[in-house]
Amino acid sequence: MPVLDRQDDVFVLDLGDGENRFHPDWIAAVDAALDEVEKADGPRALVTAATGKFYSTGLDLDWYFAHPDQHQDYVTSVHALFARLLSLPVPTVAALQGHTFAAAAMFSLAHDFRVMRADRGFWCLPEASINIPFTPGMSALIQSRLTPQTAHEAMLTARRYGGHDAVAAGIVDHAVDENAVRTTAVEIARAQEPKAGDTLATIRTRMYAPVLATLRDTTSLMG
């Protein structure tokens, strides 16, 4: 399960050491960590990271298909997590040390910055290959954070981007050695931490108002 640590004014949320799927309990744990980050005073920033082969593989499809009566509530909670991170009043950096797939790739896009391992691991939106369409909220988030050309390729071809390709496509900001992923993310976060606060939150909510409205619209979750 996710564990929150603090390095001076930088909070580091380790998402786990497995596939870190978006199980309802996992989402609740991330939300609780964000509560702690949000209520803290003064300069601060957030780094999300993981340990092992995966940053995250996204939705917990095993749980999802086993609970058909909870589909709407589950998708609502995922959208709410994206919206919360996108509008968080603190700078955010994703440290992608391993595979980052599907909803986890979208989760990474809700951060301000992304650092990826250069030599191994892929960032991928596989929905076209696994016959699961993007929700309107997911589409809005992806298209707000990627160039039209990259969003088109990533969403329609399910391309797997390695670190250097992801930098070239504008998906991530840096591709570095494995042992530098988290430290680089913390350095970026530390440089941004004085900006935390209400002004940052207001800029975010105005900049991404259409995306946030779509993510929070529970009347047409699946389109």
Side-chain angles (χ1 to χ4, degrees):
M1 293 296 287
V3 176
L4 185 66
D5 189 20
R6 185 167 185 172
Q7 300 178 16
D8 298 321
D9 291 327
V10 176
F11 288 90
V12 178
L13 177 59
D14 192 310
L15 302 178
D17 60 2
E19 291 191 10
N20 306 326
R21 297 181 185 181
F22 288 25
H23 185 278
D25 293 342
W26 185 94
I27 293 173
V30 172
D31 264 328
L34 295 182
D35 286 342
E36 186 170 341
V37 174
E38 196 163 355
K39 73 182 181 183
D41 295 323
R44 61 204 187 280
L46 171 68
V47 169
T48 65
T51 305
K53 183 177 179 180
F54 301 97
Y55 176 78
S56 169
T57 56
L59 300 185
D60 190 334
L61 295 179
D62 291 340
W63 185 93
Y64 180 81
F65 290 123
H67 298 82
D69 59 321
Q70 299 183 51
H71 283 184
Q72 179 152 331
D73 288 344
Y74 179 68
V75 175
T76 296
S77 71
V78 172
H79 281 195
L81 182 61
F82 293 160
R84 185 173 190 190
L85 191 58
L86 192 63
S87 59
L88 204 68
V90 303
T92 56
V93 187
L96 311 178
Q97 93 300 337
H99 295 311
T100 305
F101 294 149
M106 302 172 214
F107 181 75
S108 76
L109 291 178
H111 292 69
D112 297 318
F113 305 98
R114 283 154 298 286
V115 180
M116 187 172 175
R117 181 174 170 178
D119 62 328
R120 296 188 68 181
F122 293 107
W123 187 100
C124 178
L125 296 171
E127 280 73 7
S129 293
I130 59 177
N131 297 316
I132 298 178
F134 299 97
T135 67
M138 292 172 178
S139 295
L141 172 60
I142 296 163
Q143 291 175 273
S144 73
R145 298 295 283 127
L146 300 178
T147 66
Q149 181 177 357
T150 298
H152 180 95
E153 179 181 59
M155 296 173 77
L156 295 183
T157 72
R159 175 179 172 180
R160 294 187 173 198
Y161 296 85
H164 293 300
D165 288 341
V167 171
I171 297 169
V172 304
D173 302 282
H174 303 279
V176 299
D177 291 341
E178 177 186 10
N179 59 4
V181 174
R182 191 176 297 209
T183 56
T184 301
V186 169
E187 288 171 4
I188 294 170
R190 186 162 286 127
Q192 297 297 319
E193 64 190 32
K195 299 178 179 66
D198 292 341
T199 297
L200 182 64
T202 300
I203 292 172
R204 289 187 190 286
T205 56
R206 292 175 179 172
M207 178 180 290
Y208 293 108
V211 181
L212 293 169
T214 305
L215 285 168
R216 291 165 175 162
D217 181 4
T218 60
T219 62
S220 58
L221 287 175
M222 308 306 291

